């Protein structure tokens, strides 16, 4: 497909399959894929290692100054690095998942992440997924998709992901974590998760990757007049 240098913003609740879908779409279009949640997870890991967040999810005000020392960067294969260290595996663990939403609710953390994300998006040709990409990070993105799926399907996906990584989660814990994160993500004051008015909704509870891809390709063809 000969497609213009656009930004595609994909938002939605946790474990709706945003990143798998966004990766697939980026590959199909020859675009760069960027997982904005990875940066929030990277900041969370940093705060944990520097002891700037406690077990009650209270964030130390010192985090603000400490962010100046934090260098997070995506490798060419999309894995996240903290300085020279690849942290991809650590940021996906349950301990990080359990504390990422309170960290992502801190306004200066969001500003820090947003400025990095906008830098990556300067040249377009990017598919970015997250919670506020179409509403706050790139409100002018030329294509916005809002993804949903039933809670049951989402919990099962997250559970299978964790098991595949060798973790031994309890399904109830996974459901609890999803609910908590959805609640915090959609109720925080700064840029809460919500569907942009001009976003297309994709409920993928019962769709295969092929069906999702066919849906979005049809959308792109219609919207940009590409045959
Ligand atoms: O997509 P994810 O589960 O890796 O995201 C991790 C957390 O980061 C999630 O709880 C919400 C937050 N997040 C956000 O607030 N805004 C984004 N654009 C992306 C993620």
């Amino acid at each position: 497909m000969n497609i213009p240098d656009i930004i595609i913003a994909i938002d939605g609740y946790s474990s709706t399959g945003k990143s798998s879908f966004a990766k697939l779409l980026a590959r199909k279009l020859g675009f760069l894929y960027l997982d904005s949640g990875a940066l929030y997870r990277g900041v969370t890991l940093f705060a944990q290692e520097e002891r700037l967040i406690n077990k009650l999810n209270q964030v130390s005000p010192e985090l603000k100054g400490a962010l100046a020392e934090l260098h997070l960067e995506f490798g060419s294969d999309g894995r996240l690095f903290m300085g020279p260290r690849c942290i991809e595996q650590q940021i996906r663990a349950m301990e990080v998942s359990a504390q990422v939403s309170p960290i992502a609710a801190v306004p200066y953390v969001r500003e820090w992440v947003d400025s990095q994300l906008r830098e990556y998006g300067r040249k377009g040709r990017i598919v970015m997924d997250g919670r506020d990409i179409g509403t706050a990070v790139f409100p002018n993105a030329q294509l916005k998709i809002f993804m949903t799926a039933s809670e049951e399907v989402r919990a099962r996906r997250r559970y299978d992901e964790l098991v595949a990584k060798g973790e031994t989660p309890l399904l109830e814990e996974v459901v609890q974590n999803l609910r908590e994160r959805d609640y915090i993500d959609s109720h925080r004051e700064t840029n809460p998760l919500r569907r942009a008015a001009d976003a297309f909704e994709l409920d993928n509870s019962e769709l295969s990757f092929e069906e999702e891809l066919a849906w979005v390709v049809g959308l792109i063809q219609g919207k940009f007049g590409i045959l």
Side-chain angles (χ1 to χ4, degrees), residues 36-37 40-41 100-101 104 110 130-132 158 181 185 188:
S36 68
Y40 288 103
R41 289 171 177 272
V100 63
S101 285
R110 301 202 70 79
R131 304 295 190 290
D132 62 344
R158 184 62 115 200
R181 288 206 291 148
D185 293 341
R188 67 176 171 236

Side-chain angles (χ1 to χ4, degrees), residues 3 6-11 21 25 29 31 126-128 133-134 138-146 198-200 215-221 223-224:
I3 179 167
I6 59 168
I7 291 178
I8 300 180
I10 301 182
D11 290 305
F21 175 64
L25 179 58
L29 302 175
F31 278 21
I126 190 170
V127 180
M128 189 178 287
I133 308 305
F138 296 120
N140 297 324
Q142 294 86 344
L143 180 62
K144 301 179 187 177
I145 296 169
F146 190 81
D198 52 352
F200 294 91
W215 175 84
V216 72
V217 166
L219 199 61
I220 291 172
Q221 287 172 333
K223 197 168 158 65
F224 300 100

Side-chain angles (χ1 to χ4, degrees), residues 110-177:
R110 301 202 70 79
E111 270 171 42
W112 187 89
V113 168
D114 285 359
S115 70
Q116 317 243 339
L117 295 175
R118 291 194 184 112
E119 197 51 38
Y120 281 107
R122 270 191 316 133
K123 294 192 191 127
R125 300 190 74 78
I126 190 170
V127 180
M128 189 178 287
D129 76 331
R131 304 295 190 290
D132 62 344
I133 308 305
T135 52
V137 181
F138 296 120
N140 297 324
Q142 294 86 344
L143 180 62
K144 301 179 187 177
I145 296 169
F146 190 81
M147 289 183 64
T148 62
S150 71
E151 182 182 88
E152 207 184 326
V153 167
R154 297 192 292 128
R156 175 52 67 178
R157 282 183 189 149
R158 184 62 115 200
Y159 177 86
D160 290 346
E161 241 171 61
L162 290 167
V163 169
K165 281 185 204 136
E167 295 197 31
T168 47
L170 292 172
L171 189 57
E172 301 89 89
E173 257 176 35
V174 175
V175 172
Q176 191 58 26
N177 175 253

